[in-house]
Amino acid sequence: MPSLASVLTPAELKGVRALGAEDLEGLLRIVPNRYVIPGALRALQDVHEGEDVSAVVHVVSARDRRMRSRAGSILEVTVTDGTDRLVLTFFLQRDHLVQWHRSRLRPGERIVVFGTVKHAPGPARAERGELPQIAHPRYEIVGEDDALLREAMRPIPVYPLRRSTKQSTMRSALASALPHASEAVSAIPAAVLAAQGLPALEQALHLIHAPRTADDIPAGLSHLVFEEAFVLQAIFAQRRALDARTPAPALEGAGPLQPMLEERLPFTLTGAQRTVREAILERIGRDHPANLLLQGDVGSGKTIVALLAMIRAVDSGHQAALLAPTEVLAEQHFRTITALMGDLSRAGRLDGHPQATAVRLLTGSQRTAQRRETLLDVTSGTAGIVVGTHALLSDPVEFAALGLVVIDEQHRFGVDHRRRLRSKGPAGGSPHVIVMSATPIPRTAALATLGDLDILTLDESPSGRTPITSFAVPEENQAWEQRMWSRVGEEIAEGRQAFVVCARIEESEEAPPSTLELDGLSPPETAGAGDAAGEIAPRGVEETARRLAARPELAGARIGVLHGRMSSEDKQQVMGEMVEGRLDLLVATTVIEVGVDVPNATAMVVLDAERFGVSQLHQLRGRVGRGEHPGIAFFATRAPRGSAVLPHLQEIAGTTDGFALAELDLRRRGSGDLVGEVQSGLGRTLRFLDVLRDAEAIARAREAAFAVVAADPELEREPALREAIAHRLRDADPRVERS
């Protein structure tokens, strides 16, 4: 293909490069945001005020006059289609534009006109002979040539723009590039293209950029949609093929810790937990790495299933690591695991079981002596299970025989983070990997976003789990707001506990404006509140705790605070006080979003709830009602009456199905980077593919891509596909293996 500079004007070149196009093929793959599609041709006598019109008319007359209040002229062109007349009005600042339009719109000229009728004559205007008008219409001269008329009725693409680029400039650039569409190369092999019944890439690009009818547009996009899905699935297929060639320890140990732990569990596993556990044990018993996604709704019991798998690793003479995104969650996992295992977790201690292993915690804020002792146990193999944060990824951490990695809340980690932990496996091999997600992923989305992982779903809640009732509360309704706090006070008076969640730590500094473009990720724990003009500043933890202490509904309540700027020791102390019942109410940021387990907590208030993502709100309310008493959650908002906030929060409050909420979340925020570093924002990853809309295309692409890779693992016969994969991965760390 020729270079961009040799085909485009300087203005066009500036505009397309601002959109990231590096060559003509990249330019041709920039698709319109939308199209202006002319409506069906109508008779003028049938058009009413405010309606859009497409009509074939003849010019009757044209006259221009100077504007009184500003420079320029008004050009008025009267047209007719034989049923009625219409005035086309142009407000033109320069005289040469008046002359240009007049030279085109001569009496008798046949044109097709598009626009909105801004005012139709009332009775008084009709008496004066005033006609309906269209201001600044779009028109095309068609003469008596019906071919020109058909051309004028084609959809008009509306392209994305950056900087000061004009839409006309982008359209001109694409018109200049389109003759070179035959030189664009598709990543889809010819045999697959034929089997799928898709248009060739050259044809698809013409259908996208120069459609003749509205039906051409989806036909053209079908190629790019399938191609994108096909490239992603080929990446996943290659990774699975690599896994099949990579050695991993076969974790087949039969005891003694597993049966002893199961005997001590204070509950009975659900049928789903037993089924998923057996599937995991079968996969990690193979001699090549298992890569599993363990997903389930809030409270479905993922942690115990993961723990049973980690115990299998220890029984097999290997180590297991559990990676959590925050220190609070890591510490919670550590407490949960050691509580469930009891003396089975105290190897080397007087109160330990003779066949116990050691469970160790490793975080970045540990004191030097404690960290050194933990690292020694990890390196020597004394620690069979290691729970930690990003500190587990640091170079000094060397495992004696790492056989299994469990990653909690996998969407919080970049893929390179996970890859570094995988590299700590036995020499020349890889540990098995289980990634857990408490944010359920719709199946088609999971196939597109985590296609190289085997998906295991816990679709059953443990028996005895109490329901959570949720309400959206508009705080401008003072009666509702007061009742909300009274309800929290009633729970505390009954000896139970509550959480209040804030979007900020402090309210004293500037914070980014709120948005309804909820993305499901935890907002940064910044000390901020001053939003853009017109925005309501979010409330902070410290100030909220002081305000709540003064509320009569909460008189006498023991209130604590928890946020990410606190030291590890302080966070541990506060959570300990909450778990032990020495606090009645904890005001916190989203550090409590996942993993925090306080069975006696039954009430939650999320302040400024519109600032949290769909999955966040679902996760947060999952922190209450974890014991014998039912939970209640309030999503409180100060958004003004009539905004979109309250219906949105009511939709979340009224839905407890995590998979339904996950689909809503996916529609709002996108699925994150699928194979590279970025973890959120659909626009950064998928250009053409919609993982919900294009479920059927994803399934077809997956089947086709896996067949192609199975027949030609290195894609030696498919250089275009190999190049497309390299291009897709060029910004990712070359060591990254999977999402």
Short mmCIF file of all heavy atoms in Angstrom, two decimals, residues 528-552:
data_model
loop_
_atom_site.label_atom_id
_atom_site.label_comp_id
_atom_site.label_asym_id
_atom_site.label_seq_id
_atom_site.Cartn_x
_atom_site.Cartn_y
_atom_site.Cartn_z
N GLY A 528 -10.47 13.64 48.58
CA GLY A 528 -11.01 14.69 47.72
C GLY A 528 -12.50 14.83 47.82
O GLY A 528 -13.20 13.90 48.16
N ALA A 529 -12.97 16.03 47.49
CA ALA A 529 -14.40 16.20 47.51
C ALA A 529 -14.89 17.28 46.57
O ALA A 529 -16.01 17.26 46.14
CB ALA A 529 -14.86 16.54 48.92
N GLY A 530 -14.10 18.27 46.26
CA GLY A 530 -14.60 19.42 45.51
C GLY A 530 -14.80 19.10 44.06
O GLY A 530 -13.86 19.11 43.30
N ASP A 531 -16.00 18.78 43.68
CA ASP A 531 -16.26 18.39 42.32
C ASP A 531 -16.41 19.58 41.40
O ASP A 531 -16.40 20.74 41.81
CB ASP A 531 -17.52 17.53 42.26
CG ASP A 531 -17.20 16.10 42.63
OD1 ASP A 531 -16.12 15.84 43.16
OD2 ASP A 531 -18.04 15.26 42.36
N ALA A 532 -16.57 19.30 40.14
CA ALA A 532 -16.77 20.34 39.15
C ALA A 532 -18.04 21.12 39.48
O ALA A 532 -18.90 20.67 40.22
CB ALA A 532 -16.88 19.71 37.75
N ALA A 533 -18.13 22.29 38.91
CA ALA A 533 -19.28 23.15 39.20
C ALA A 533 -20.57 22.40 38.94
O ALA A 533 -20.75 21.75 37.93
CB ALA A 533 -19.21 24.41 38.34
N GLY A 534 -21.49 22.51 39.90
CA GLY A 534 -22.77 21.86 39.74
C GLY A 534 -22.80 20.44 40.28
O GLY A 534 -23.86 19.85 40.40
N GLU A 535 -21.64 19.86 40.59
CA GLU A 535 -21.60 18.51 41.12
C GLU A 535 -21.70 18.53 42.64
O GLU A 535 -21.26 19.47 43.30
CB GLU A 535 -20.28 17.81 40.71
CG GLU A 535 -20.15 17.56 39.21
CD GLU A 535 -21.01 16.39 38.76
OE1 GLU A 535 -21.50 15.65 39.63
OE2 GLU A 535 -21.19 16.24 37.55
N ILE A 536 -22.28 17.48 43.21
CA ILE A 536 -22.35 17.34 44.65
C ILE A 536 -21.10 16.61 45.11
O ILE A 536 -20.80 15.52 44.63
CB ILE A 536 -23.61 16.55 45.05
CG1 ILE A 536 -24.86 17.28 44.55
CG2 ILE A 536 -23.67 16.37 46.55
CD1 ILE A 536 -26.14 16.51 44.77
N ALA A 537 -20.36 17.23 46.03
CA ALA A 537 -19.11 16.64 46.48
C ALA A 537 -19.38 15.35 47.24
O ALA A 537 -20.30 15.28 48.06
CB ALA A 537 -18.37 17.63 47.39
N PRO A 538 -18.61 14.31 47.00
CA PRO A 538 -18.81 13.05 47.73
C PRO A 538 -18.38 13.18 49.18
O PRO A 538 -17.51 13.96 49.52
CB PRO A 538 -17.89 12.08 46.98
CG PRO A 538 -16.82 12.93 46.42
CD PRO A 538 -17.47 14.24 46.06
N ARG A 539 -19.00 12.40 50.02
CA ARG A 539 -18.68 12.44 51.44
C ARG A 539 -17.48 11.56 51.76
O ARG A 539 -17.25 10.55 51.10
CB ARG A 539 -19.91 12.02 52.25
CG ARG A 539 -20.96 13.11 52.30
CD ARG A 539 -22.33 12.60 52.66
NE ARG A 539 -22.95 11.88 51.55
CZ ARG A 539 -24.24 11.58 51.52
NH1 ARG A 539 -25.03 11.94 52.51
NH2 ARG A 539 -24.75 10.93 50.48
N GLY A 540 -16.73 11.96 52.77
CA GLY A 540 -15.54 11.25 53.17
C GLY A 540 -15.74 10.47 54.46
O GLY A 540 -16.65 10.72 55.24
N VAL A 541 -14.83 9.51 54.67
CA VAL A 541 -14.94 8.61 55.82
C VAL A 541 -14.86 9.37 57.15
O VAL A 541 -15.72 9.21 58.03
CB VAL A 541 -13.83 7.54 55.75
CG1 VAL A 541 -13.75 6.76 57.05
CG2 VAL A 541 -14.09 6.60 54.58
N GLU A 542 -13.83 10.20 57.30
CA GLU A 542 -13.60 10.86 58.59
C GLU A 542 -14.77 11.77 58.96
O GLU A 542 -15.28 11.73 60.08
CB GLU A 542 -12.29 11.66 58.53
CG GLU A 542 -11.05 10.85 58.18
CD GLU A 542 -10.59 9.97 59.34
OE1 GLU A 542 -11.15 10.11 60.45
OE2 GLU A 542 -9.68 9.16 59.13
N GLU A 543 -15.19 12.61 58.02
CA GLU A 543 -16.28 13.54 58.31
C GLU A 543 -17.60 12.79 58.54
O GLU A 543 -18.39 13.17 59.41
CB GLU A 543 -16.44 14.54 57.16
CG GLU A 543 -15.28 15.51 57.00
CD GLU A 543 -14.14 14.94 56.16
OE1 GLU A 543 -14.18 13.74 55.83
OE2 GLU A 543 -13.23 15.71 55.83
N THR A 544 -17.83 11.74 57.76
CA THR A 544 -19.06 10.97 57.94
C THR A 544 -19.13 10.33 59.31
O THR A 544 -20.19 10.31 59.96
CB THR A 544 -19.17 9.90 56.84
OG1 THR A 544 -19.29 10.54 55.57
CG2 THR A 544 -20.38 9.00 57.06
N ALA A 545 -18.00 9.81 59.77
CA ALA A 545 -17.99 9.19 61.11
C ALA A 545 -18.37 10.21 62.18
O ALA A 545 -19.12 9.90 63.11
CB ALA A 545 -16.61 8.61 61.39
N ARG A 546 -17.86 11.45 62.03
CA ARG A 546 -18.21 12.48 63.02
C ARG A 546 -19.70 12.84 62.94
O ARG A 546 -20.36 13.04 63.95
CB ARG A 546 -17.33 13.72 62.80
CG ARG A 546 -15.88 13.52 63.20
CD ARG A 546 -15.14 14.84 63.26
NE ARG A 546 -14.92 15.40 61.93
CZ ARG A 546 -13.84 15.15 61.20
NH1 ARG A 546 -12.90 14.32 61.65
NH2 ARG A 546 -13.69 15.70 60.02
N ARG A 547 -20.23 12.94 61.71
CA ARG A 547 -21.64 13.27 61.58
C ARG A 547 -22.54 12.17 62.16
O ARG A 547 -23.55 12.44 62.81
CB ARG A 547 -21.99 13.48 60.10
CG ARG A 547 -21.32 14.69 59.46
CD ARG A 547 -21.83 14.89 58.04
NE ARG A 547 -20.98 15.81 57.31
CZ ARG A 547 -20.18 15.48 56.30
NH1 ARG A 547 -20.13 14.22 55.89
NH2 ARG A 547 -19.43 16.37 55.69
N LEU A 548 -22.18 10.93 61.91
CA LEU A 548 -23.01 9.83 62.40
C LEU A 548 -23.00 9.76 63.92
O LEU A 548 -24.00 9.38 64.53
CB LEU A 548 -22.52 8.50 61.80
CG LEU A 548 -22.69 8.36 60.28
CD1 LEU A 548 -22.21 6.98 59.83
CD2 LEU A 548 -24.12 8.59 59.85
N ALA A 549 -21.88 10.12 64.51
CA ALA A 549 -21.81 10.10 65.98
C ALA A 549 -22.80 11.08 66.59
O ALA A 549 -23.22 10.92 67.75
CB ALA A 549 -20.38 10.43 66.43
N ALA A 550 -23.19 12.11 65.83
CA ALA A 550 -24.12 13.12 66.34
C ALA A 550 -25.58 12.81 65.99
O ALA A 550 -26.48 13.53 66.43
CB ALA A 550 -23.74 14.49 65.80
N ARG A 551 -25.83 11.77 65.21
CA ARG A 551 -27.21 11.46 64.84
C ARG A 551 -27.94 10.78 66.00
O ARG A 551 -27.43 9.81 66.57
CB ARG A 551 -27.26 10.54 63.61
CG ARG A 551 -26.86 11.22 62.30
CD ARG A 551 -27.33 10.38 61.12
NE ARG A 551 -28.77 10.47 60.96
CZ ARG A 551 -29.40 11.30 60.13
NH1 ARG A 551 -28.68 12.13 59.38
NH2 ARG A 551 -30.71 11.30 60.04
N PRO A 552 -29.13 11.24 66.33
CA PRO A 552 -29.85 10.63 67.46
C PRO A 552 -30.19 9.16 67.22
O PRO A 552 -30.25 8.38 68.17
CB PRO A 552 -31.12 11.49 67.57
CG PRO A 552 -31.26 12.18 66.25
CD PRO A 552 -29.87 12.38 65.75
#
